[in-house]
């Protein structure tokens, strides 16, 4: 069956902590409006174009991908997982160095584990 180009391939969901917080949504709200718009457009591109590759999307390890968005502060990263037809936004940060910091990746790994426990 042909995918309707007006229908998203993936549904976007924010990771939610046990306490009900949505860390990626909170992080996005802390950014400037223009930066949120750029990141939102990139998420939408993935939502309608899955699966995609570089330069926008890169697989970091099994189960974890990153969306790379160029914003005024540098490069924003949103780490996510895809389960079926659902994209779960696990973690977001502004990358300051060449390599993805281990602590940022660890945060996404832990949230992915929490998600799979539910």
């Amino acid at each position: 069956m042909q995918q309707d180009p007006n229908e998203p391939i993936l549904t976007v969901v924010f990771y939610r902590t046990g306490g009900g917080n949505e860390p990626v949504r909170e992080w996005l709200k802390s950014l400037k409006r223009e930066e949120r718009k750029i990141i939102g457009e990139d998420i939408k591109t993935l939502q309608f174009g899955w699966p995609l590759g570089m330069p926008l999307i890169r697989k970091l390890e099994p189960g974890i991908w990153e969306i790379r968005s160029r914003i005024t502060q540098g490069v924003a990263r949103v780490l996510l997982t895809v389960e079926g037809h659902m994209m779960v936004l696990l973690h977001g940060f502004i990358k300051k160095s060449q390599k993805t910091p281990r602590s940022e990746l660890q945060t996404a790994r832990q949230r992915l584990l929490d998600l799979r426990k539910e």
Side-chain angles (χ1 to χ4, degrees):
M1 196 167 113
Q2 191 66 31
Q3 173 71 28
D4 180 346
N6 299 318
E7 285 293 316
I9 295 166
L10 299 173
T11 304
V12 179
V13 177
F14 287 94
Y15 167 82
R16 188 175 291 211
T17 65
N21 295 334
E22 294 176 329
V24 178
R25 186 187 303 266
E26 291 161 17
W27 171 73
L28 285 168
K29 285 180 177 175
S30 76
L31 300 175
K32 293 182 183 135
R33 188 169 182 272
E34 310 84 66
E35 295 171 334
R36 283 196 308 265
K37 188 174 188 301
I38 291 166
I39 295 167
E41 288 294 325
D42 289 345
I43 290 169
K44 186 177 174 185
T45 298
L46 177 60
Q47 185 182 13
F48 282 82
W50 178 258
L52 293 172
M54 293 286 279
L56 183 62
I57 308 300
R58 185 168 77 109
K59 187 171 190 172
L60 298 178
E61 58 185 53
I64 299 180
W65 286 263
E66 69 176 355
I67 298 176
R68 314 162 106 190
S69 301
R70 292 211 166 278
I71 60 173
T72 51
Q73 295 181 50
V75 182
R77 297 284 199 257
V78 177
L79 305 185
L80 62 104
T81 192
V82 175
E83 306 268 330
H85 289 283
M86 191 167 52
M87 171 193 336
V88 183
L89 307 180
L90 299 170
H91 185 48
F93 62 98
I94 309 259
K95 194 167 150 203
K96 307 278 191 228
S97 62
Q98 197 65 26
K99 204 167 187 272
T100 300
R102 187 173 289 145
S103 62
E104 305 288 6
L105 193 51
Q106 191 52 44
T107 299
R109 281 187 193 124
Q110 188 56 56
R111 289 177 182 168
L112 180 58
L113 282 174
D114 294 345
L115 198 66
R116 290 183 172 165
K117 278 183 210 161
E118 288 177 9

